[in-house]
Amino acid sequence: MNFIKKFAKEISVFGLVLLIFLGLFIYRQATFKDYKTISESRLTQMIKDQEDFVVVLGDSTDSTMMSYQEIMTTYTTKNRSTPFYYLDTSEMKDIDSYVGKTFDTNVSYPATFVIKDGKVVAKKDGYNQYYSLYDFIKENFK
């Protein structure tokens, strides 16, 4: 009889720990959102499909872009309704001609674009602090 009581106690403790981990996982899924990394072909297709979104172009090996990615994560977590994407330019061979052809502009990196109906509505070059990024998107992505 003691064996059954001890076994039931072990199972209930295991169940409680499992329930806590499940709760933490669900909480993280409900409160955390990250930007999506896309390829240049997917970006081109989204523009052709005339979608509305925000995209950041930048080299993931650059230290400025690494810290900007934290700000992008904070923005997407707090503003879940904005479709937010990132194009890593570190593997691209001729990024300047791609940007010139796709967006009809020259930029310095990282570059943030607001796209509406497949057209560039606004762009902002360089690193942005959170509130600067928030205000830029709020003004241009209505």
Side-chain angles (χ1 to χ4, degrees):
M1 194 63 130
N2 282 341
F3 175 74
I4 293 173
K5 285 183 180 180
K6 187 176 181 181
F7 183 72
K9 192 176 189 180
E10 299 266 338
I11 292 294
S12 65
V13 169
F14 177 72
L16 184 61
V17 169
L18 190 62
L19 188 63
I20 289 171
F21 278 114
L22 182 64
L24 290 172
F25 175 75
I26 291 171
Y27 174 77
R28 185 176 191 283
Q29 293 298 318
T31 60
F32 182 78
K33 183 176 183 225
D34 202 2
Y35 57 88
K36 293 180 182 145
T37 301
I38 58 174
S39 65
E40 56 188 293
S41 61
R42 174 72 178 121
L43 177 60
T44 304
Q45 187 61 44
M46 290 169 62
I47 291 171
K48 285 181 184 176
D49 293 343
Q50 298 182 346
E51 296 181 28
D52 298 343
F53 59 95
V54 177
V55 65
V56 174
L57 309 177
D59 185 344
S60 63
T61 60
D62 182 37
S63 61
T64 302
M65 192 63 221
M66 287 179 193
S67 60
Y68 193 42
Q69 287 174 329
E70 293 176 25
I71 292 171
M72 291 164 38
T73 300
T74 303
Y75 179 84
T76 55
T77 299
K78 291 182 178 183
N79 303 281
R80 300 170 71 89
S81 63
T82 306
F84 202 101
Y85 300 97
Y86 168 65
L87 176 64
D88 185 6
T89 60
S90 64
E91 300 289 321
M92 296 175 69
K93 292 179 179 137
D94 194 10
I95 182 64
D96 292 326
S97 83
Y98 173 77
V99 171
K101 183 178 81 172
T102 306
F103 299 107
D104 196 31
T105 187
N106 293 325
V107 295
S108 60
Y109 301 100
T112 307
F113 291 93
V114 175
I115 312 290
K116 291 190 107 184
D117 297 324
K119 305 232 183 300
V120 176
V121 174
K123 76 168 184 157
K124 190 165 191 175
D125 295 339
Y127 179 88
N128 297 302
Q129 293 293 332
Y130 172 76
Y131 287 107
S132 175
L133 178 65
Y134 175 81
D135 290 340
F136 171 70
I137 294 173
K138 184 178 176 186
E139 290 171 9
N140 296 295
F141 194 83
K142 295 179 182 176

